[in-house]
Structure formats: C-alpha cells, structure tokens
Amino acid sequence: MKNKIKKYIGPLVVAVAIFVTCMFANGGIFGENKAESLLYGICNCFTIPGIILTGIGAISWAGKFGTFDMLSFGTRSFFGIFIKPLSNDMPTNFYDYRKEKDEKGRKWSPELLIVGAIFLAVGLILSAVSLIA
C-alpha cells in the first residue's frame, strides 16, 4: 500500500510546483479583492497542471501500445550515426526493434493521468463555481 502511495508523490509534487509557478506568474492570486477574480485565478492554477499531467499520462498510455515505436527507432537510428553508443545495441531493422520492445514489456504511468485528472476536475469545478458567483 505504501509503495502505491509513493508513486503518486512525484506527480503531485510536479503539479503543486506548476500550481505555485502559475500563482506567482499571475501576480499572486491572493492579492485579489473580489471573490470572482480569486476563484478565476485559482481555477487557472488548477487547470494548467491538470491539462499538462493528463496529457503526458495519456501520451504515456498511448505509447504502451507501441504507438511511438517507429518515431523512437528512426530517431535512435539517425542520432546513432553521430553518437555511436546509441546505435551499438540497436537491432538492424524496425521489426526486430519492435519485437525486442514487446519482449521487454511496456510500462506507462497511470499516476500522471490520475493526478492530472484530479487537478483538472478541481479546476473545472472551480470554473463552474466562478461562473455562478
């Protein structure tokens, strides 16, 4: 149970760092006089890390199915011409490369998707509240 919770600490720290950066980039949201502008600022500060982390988590999930294998193989092959350690353990063709990746197993980060979705949901809720207020 503790290992599962520890996996969420990294994405949560990143999301909070983006939140704080957004807060200070907007001139500090707590100096606002009206509740509407305060909610609007907090809504933005939750939505931005939510979109970023949810997007990265969704791309990670799509990569689990081998979506970006051709891009990865082509990039490593190209830069392997200039940087020899990249091409030392590369298979000669794409099909062997993909087979090797499938045998190793593919991983993705559901923690990014979940933390991002939570931040995005809070941002959307605050957006609805700021429209009502």
Side-chain angles (χ1 to χ4, degrees):
M1 182 69 177
K2 279 192 172 187
N3 286 337
K4 288 186 178 185
I5 293 173
K6 285 182 181 180
K7 289 181 180 181
Y8 289 93
I9 292 175
L12 189 60
V13 167
V14 170
V16 169
I18 295 171
F19 178 90
V20 170
T21 303
C22 176
M23 184 178 67
F24 286 115
N26 289 331
I29 58 173
F30 298 110
E32 301 291 337
N33 294 332
K34 294 183 177 181
E36 180 182 342
S37 56
L38 177 66
L39 279 174
Y40 180 75
I42 293 174
C43 168
N44 285 342
C45 292
F46 271 106
T47 304
I48 291 171
I51 289 172
I52 291 171
L53 291 179
T54 303
I56 292 171
I59 288 173
S60 172
W61 175 75
K64 180 181 97 163
F65 301 108
T67 307
F68 306 110
D69 283 351
M70 182 58 85
L71 182 64
S72 173
F73 178 76
T75 304
R76 282 188 63 190
S77 296
F78 176 74
F79 286 109
I81 295 170
F82 307 108
I83 305 168
K84 291 300 178 189
L86 284 177
S87 63
N88 286 345
D89 60 343
M90 277 282 288
T92 55
N93 59 25
F94 173 70
Y95 299 105
D96 292 338
Y97 176 78
R98 184 156 182 159
K99 183 179 175 186
E100 186 178 298
K101 295 266 291 191
D102 285 336
E103 288 172 358
K104 279 185 181 178
R106 299 175 188 272
K107 296 179 182 177
W108 72 291
S109 301
E111 299 85 19
L112 286 170
L113 189 65
I114 292 169
V115 170
I118 290 170
F119 268 71
L120 190 59
V122 171
L124 291 174
I125 290 168
L126 290 175
S127 177
V129 170
S130 69
L131 288 175
I132 294 171

